[in-house]
Amino acid sequence: MKLDPKTISILKSFSVLNPSMLFREGNVLTGVSQQKTVLSRAVVPDTFPKKFAVYEMHRFLGSLSLFAEPEIEFKERYLEISEGKKTTDDADTSDRSVKYIYTDESLVTAAPEKYLTLPSVDVEFKLTAKVLSDVIRAAGILSLPEIVLMGDGEGLYIQAIDTKNPTSDVYKIKLSATDKKFNFIFKLEYITALMSDDYEIQLSKSRLSYFKGNNIEYWIILEQNSTYDS
């Protein structure tokens, strides 16, 4: 089995929040952050033939990177990674392989197979990959730790901000009009872990959010100081 570059890209993204991961049989990847504050789900081009667990995703991805075109063969207790494109003239690439041992499933935090349903959808809108990239970049440049989706009764904005510092810099982009007032607050690390994509976003006053992209979904718990005025 050769992993599609898109599958590898999604695994790299998931590994930012999920240092360990349970792979289930099929073409759906799921992940959960260590604090269980972010759930992720993606439909990928590849179909995994069996269930197995990886304790250190960075080591697994690093093992794949040792090969130009990694080929994976799934064994009972381990997977074998070798060079997919082998030639009789190139003994160096033909003879290399990695035996990567599965970890015990009990040692990893597995994402639930049943996903969350928002108790209510109080705000919904679309967010482009360009705007998402711009606000993440601004947060990095200005050393701001949070991303806030804010409604002031007239407009809906996305902001890079430090809500604990009333004198902090603020970077904001107006997204649309709204007659609602709210401040939905996310840790920057959760937003930077998202795949670059256009998202349909739903927000609940119960401090839960849902991001739906192209074959990828995230459920993110908002910070406790988030507010919503009905």
Side-chain angles (χ1 to χ4, degrees):
M1 173 184 180
K2 292 181 184 177
L3 291 183
D4 187 278
K6 184 176 181 180
T7 301
I8 294 176
S9 179
I10 288 171
L11 287 173
K12 288 179 179 178
S13 175
F14 280 19
S15 70
V16 174
L17 293 170
N18 311 297
S20 59
M21 189 167 167
L22 177 67
F23 291 74
R24 295 184 172 97
E25 187 176 344
N27 69 334
V28 176
L29 296 176
T30 59
V32 58
S33 64
Q34 284 184 304
Q35 299 80 17
K36 297 184 179 180
T37 50
V38 182
L39 293 176
S40 52
R41 178 183 184 274
V43 179
V44 296
D46 303 302
T47 299
F48 291 88
K50 65 174 294 167
K51 185 179 180 182
F52 65 98
V54 170
Y55 188 69
E56 295 178 286
M57 283 298 296
H58 73 279
R59 290 181 69 247
F60 174 62
L61 293 166
S63 298
L64 293 175
S65 73
L66 294 172
F67 305 90
E69 296 185 28
E71 180 89 34
I72 301 176
E73 187 174 353
F74 294 87
K75 308 289 188 179
E76 184 176 351
R77 290 186 169 82
Y78 66 92
L79 55 81
E80 185 175 68
I81 309 169
S82 60
E83 191 65 62
K85 189 176 181 180
K86 298 179 180 180
T87 66
T88 54
D89 310 341
D90 194 351
D92 182 54
T93 56
S94 297
D95 295 342
R96 292 184 293 122
S97 67
V98 170
K99 179 182 179 181
Y100 197 96
I101 308 297
Y102 306 136
T103 194
D104 190 308
E105 292 179 14
S106 66
L107 298 178
V108 306
T109 302
E113 294 190 70
K114 184 177 181 180
Y115 277 82
L116 297 174
T117 300
L118 269 60
S120 62
V121 177
D122 301 295
V123 178
E124 55 185 329
F125 62 96
K126 294 183 179 180
L127 182 65
T128 67
K130 175 66 166 58
V131 169
L132 182 62
S133 174
D134 287 348
V135 76
I136 289 172
R137 181 169 179 265
I141 290 172
L142 297 171
S143 299
L144 298 170
E146 295 159 323
I147 300 298
V148 174
L149 293 166
M150 184 269 285
D152 62 4
E154 296 181 0
L156 190 160
Y157 301 85
I158 187 168
Q159 302 176 318
I161 194 171
D162 183 350
T163 61
K164 296 179 178 62
N165 179 5
T167 64
S168 80
D169 301 318
V170 179
Y171 175 87
K172 70 178 181 180
I173 302 172
K174 185 173 182 178
L175 301 176
S176 64
T178 183
D179 59 357
K180 298 177 181 179
K181 294 183 179 181
F182 53 86
N183 274 284
F184 290 126
I185 303 166
F186 299 83
K187 287 184 178 179
L188 176 63
E189 64 197 75
Y190 298 161
I191 301 301
T192 55
L194 299 179
M195 291 286 295
S196 178
D197 206 346
D198 296 334
Y199 288 98
E200 295 177 10
I201 299 176
Q202 296 179 344
L203 303 167
S204 173
K205 60 187 177 185
S206 300
R207 293 197 292 270
L208 183 61
S209 66
Y210 172 60
F211 289 65
K212 180 176 174 56
N214 181 25
N215 292 325
I216 191 162
E217 300 165 284
Y218 297 90
W219 292 259
I220 305 174
I221 295 177
L222 305 172
E223 295 302 288
Q224 286 292 321
N225 53 336
S226 297
T227 60
Y228 178 84
D229 298 327
S230 57

